[in-house]
C-alpha cells in the first residue's frame, strides 16, 4: 500500500472526526472506523509510520488517536 495514500485517507477521516465537539469520543470513533474499515496490513503500515517516523504528515487528531489507541489497531 502506498503510504502517501494511507496518510491522505487517514487525514480525510480525521477531518470528519475533528468536527466532533467531544474530542476523546472523536478519537475513539476514529480508531473504531479504521479498525472496522481498513484491512490489517493498512493499519500495520500506518502504525509503523507513526512509530518509526512520528507521523508528521498526519493531522493532530489522527496522530493523537493512534498514539492513545495503538493497541486497538493491532
Amino acid at each position: 500500500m502506498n503510504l502517501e495514500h494511507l496518510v491522505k485517507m487517514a487525514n480525510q477521516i480525521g477531518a470528519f472526526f475533528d468536527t466532533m465537539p467531544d474530542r476523546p469520543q472523536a478519537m475513539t470513533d476514529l480508531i473504531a472506523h479504521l479498525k472496522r474499515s481498513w484491512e490489517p496490513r493498512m493499519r500495520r503500515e500506518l502504525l509503523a509510520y507513526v512509530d518509526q517516523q512520528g507521523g508528521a504528515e498526519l493531522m493532530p487528531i489522527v496522530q493523537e488517536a493512534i498514539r492513545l489507541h495503538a493497541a486497538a489497531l493491532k
Side-chain angles (χ1 to χ4, degrees):
M1 196 84 219
N2 181 311
L3 180 60
E4 185 177 316
H5 187 64
L6 289 177
V7 168
K8 179 179 177 183
M9 289 190 309
N11 282 336
Q12 289 172 333
I13 295 164
F16 173 80
F17 287 104
D18 200 34
T19 64
M20 293 177 67
D22 184 344
R23 190 163 182 91
Q25 185 62 52
M27 289 188 290
T28 299
D29 293 348
L30 188 155
I31 294 300
H33 178 84
L34 292 178
K35 179 122 176 126
R36 184 177 55 250
S37 303
W38 285 26
E39 63 182 58
R41 71 182 175 105
M42 294 167 70
R43 295 192 312 261
R44 280 192 304 269
E45 193 165 332
L46 188 63
L47 281 167
Y49 168 63
V50 171
D51 287 342
Q52 296 166 6
Q53 299 178 38
E57 299 295 320
L58 293 169
M59 292 180 64
I61 191 171
V62 178
Q63 287 179 21
E64 187 176 356
I66 290 171
R67 288 193 176 101
L68 289 174
H69 303 285
L73 289 178
K74 294 181 180 176

